[in-house]
Amino acid sequence: MLQPWSPTSWKSFPVSQQPTYPEPHALEEVLKQLRLLPPLVTSWEVDRLTSSIAEAQRGESWLLQGGDCAETFEQCQTEPIASKLKLLLQMSLAIVFGSRKRIIRVGRMAGQYAKPRSSDMETQGATTLPCYRGDIVNRYEFQESSRRPDPVLLLRGYERSALTLNFIRALSEGGFADLHHPENWNLLFVSQAKGEVAERYKELLKSLGNSISFLETILRDSAPELRRVDFFTSHEALHLDYESAFTRPSIRGIGYYNLGTHFPWLGERTRQVNGAHVEYFRGIRNPIAVKVSGSIQKEELIDLIDRLNPDNKPGRLTLIHRVGRSKVETLLPPLIEAVAKANRTVLWVCDPMHGNTVSTAGGRKTRRFDDIVDELKLSFAIHRACGSMLGGAHLELTGEDVTECVGGAGGLTESDLESAYQTQLDPRLNYEQSLEIAFEISNQLSQQRI
Ligand code: PEP
Ligand code: CO
């Protein structure tokens, strides 16, 4: 029998991936402050996202979730934030054209600061230090003082999240997000863009202009939906002290919400059914996602679903599979079949990034564009063959012109990786590669309509 849930009931469960703070009192002081600070989102917004995800589960909309592997405090700047938003808007436009479905846009943004690591310590030469766990925990530089977990960074992370979200909200509400002016979404470095992907996007803008004038002629006026967009935030809810500081009772008296983000997800490394993270997630009312690799067993998956969504509520649970190109055909179908057989309602989303990370001979972490596209395409086909439906994509991307993943229309090679490799953690799709993926998704979804 499970004991009653509270925002801190996870503390009596085995917990993994948490930093060890050298001064627990200092941590407690910071948490006290965080508990008093205003939330970043509201329960009404969160409920609206739950309804949208329920729509996606019925096949009426499609989820596009993307952003950096880890946000950094340094990159909390105008251009990187605006570029990511522009890119996600351009991608959703490409997808809506093929799918004729509403797109739910979710950024890995405004709080994606804590990272799970495969080992607690890192050794360079003769020195061993705690590993880097994201800007909200410690600093990247390989020095003892930098790697020491510092609770003040939790406050800095909250503030950066608030600054990011404030900017996103302002941009989404009008003017910038107005579909009549998609030229606002052009990225500075691609204004002269040539090549196949850029041409396709320009064609799409032309049809968009025509469709809007057609619609407005019929309506005699502009629909307000064309002038603003919905944009939601998400991050891996890894740092449980931080997450519980933002877990607040709803003023409507309907339970607890994580008001630090709209859509928290549970990572592959922390999804143990009897672990602290699952205990935390089961009690919040947000829509939640769980990352699953091919290593999860069918029974384990159903137990996890039952723990997280015992009443099988629509919109509540998204499963993000990240199996890898080479294993998806064998390992994904049994999972889909198990969920269908158990009659559980989930939204299936494909993360074609995390199962496809490889190292180059030079020691760079990269991902091959073709593996990413193949895993996505195979996932569409596998869901179709199993009588299920792929309802979204989860991508690591940036609007910057980086060289971190190899391949794509730009033909990036391993030797190109050196020219603009900026990520401290996982390699991201750049602008052109992301847009190319969006066209592929659009293509897949348009075939589903036939
Ligand atoms: C991530 O999304 O950056 C991540 C660590 O993913 P996963 O939990 O799927 O490994
Ligand atoms: Co990652």
Side-chain angles (χ1 to χ4, degrees), residues 100-392:
R100 301 288 192 262
K101 291 177 199 266
R102 274 187 293 278
I103 307 300
I104 309 167
R105 301 172 202 85
V106 181
R108 286 175 63 116
M109 287 173 90
Q112 176 52 15
Y113 289 122
K115 294 306 297 175
R117 302 312 304 267
S118 39
S119 132
D120 277 346
M121 306 303 277
E122 179 182 345
T123 302
Q124 287 188 19
T127 316
T128 299
L129 295 175
C131 68
Y132 169 67
R133 290 193 165 274
D135 277 9
I136 207 163
V137 173
N138 55 5
R139 299 170 180 87
Y140 188 70
E141 197 187 18
F142 193 73
Q143 271 196 6
E144 202 198 331
S145 58
S146 307
R147 289 295 174 90
R148 198 178 306 134
D150 179 357
V152 167
L153 298 175
L154 295 169
L155 284 165
R156 300 290 90 83
Y158 161 76
E159 292 154 4
R160 295 290 199 294
S161 303
L163 294 170
T164 305
L165 187 52
N166 180 58
F167 189 37
I168 294 174
R169 284 191 195 287
L171 291 173
S172 321
E173 274 313 313
F176 174 84
D178 191 334
L179 258 183
H180 298 81
H181 297 286
E183 70 279 5
N184 290 335
W185 311 342
N186 289 345
L187 285 101
L188 286 181
F189 64 90
V190 281
S191 52
Q192 317 299 334
K194 295 195 180 58
E196 196 191 322
V197 183
E199 285 310 317
R200 269 188 89 172
Y201 187 68
K202 280 183 209 153
E203 279 302 308
L204 189 144
L205 288 189
K206 248 192 256 163
S207 344
L208 173 71
N210 292 338
S211 311
I212 290 181
S213 25
F214 173 70
L215 187 73
E216 291 182 339
T217 311
I218 293 179
L219 295 175
R220 290 169 192 270
D221 199 358
S222 176
E225 291 79 16
L226 300 179
R227 302 204 177 272
R228 63 170 302 285
V229 293
D230 271 340
F231 194 91
F232 297 98
T233 61
S234 68
H235 65 248
E236 177 171 354
L238 182 70
H239 193 301
L240 289 180
D241 275 320
Y242 181 83
E243 301 302 332
S244 30
F246 286 99
T247 304
R248 315 274 173 89
S250 144
I251 59 170
R252 290 176 278 164
I254 51 171
Y256 283 84
Y257 287 77
N258 181 326
L259 297 181
T261 189
H262 297 111
F263 191 25
W265 82 80
L266 187 54
E268 161 71 7
R269 289 170 191 75
T270 48
R271 55 163 174 71
Q272 301 77 14
V273 177
N274 292 311
H277 286 81
V278 169
E279 170 61 15
Y280 169 74
F281 270 79
R282 85 176 166 96
I284 53 172
R285 287 184 56 105
N286 303 55
I288 58 175
V290 186
K291 296 273 211 100
V292 287
S293 75
S295 73
I296 196 164
Q297 300 300 307
K298 289 186 285 187
E299 303 70 31
E300 196 185 350
L301 180 59
I302 302 301
D303 284 352
L304 191 55
I305 294 174
D306 285 346
R307 184 67 63 90
L308 294 170
N309 191 17
D311 302 326
N312 205 22
K313 283 201 189 106
R316 159 76 173 165
L317 187 61
T318 295
L319 294 180
I320 304 174
H321 51 80
R322 29 87 85 221
V323 176
R325 156 72 186 87
S326 61
K327 290 185 269 176
V328 70
E329 286 162 291
T330 42
L331 298 182
L332 182 58
L335 300 182
I336 298 174
E337 281 154 14
V339 173
K341 193 164 155 224
N343 252 320
R344 301 297 193 273
T345 306
V346 301
L347 180 69
W348 286 106
V349 168
C350 172
D351 164 357
M353 314 296 295
H354 285 89
N356 291 313
T357 315
V358 290
S359 285
T360 65
R364 285 282 192 209
K365 244 189 184 187
T366 190
R367 287 161 174 159
R368 291 184 228 296
F369 185 80
D370 288 349
D371 289 342
I372 297 169
V373 172
D374 282 355
E375 183 167 350
L376 250 179
K377 284 195 198 162
L378 286 168
S379 298
F380 271 106
I382 292 166
H383 277 283
R384 219 174 295 140
C386 295
S388 164
M389 191 178 48
L390 185 65

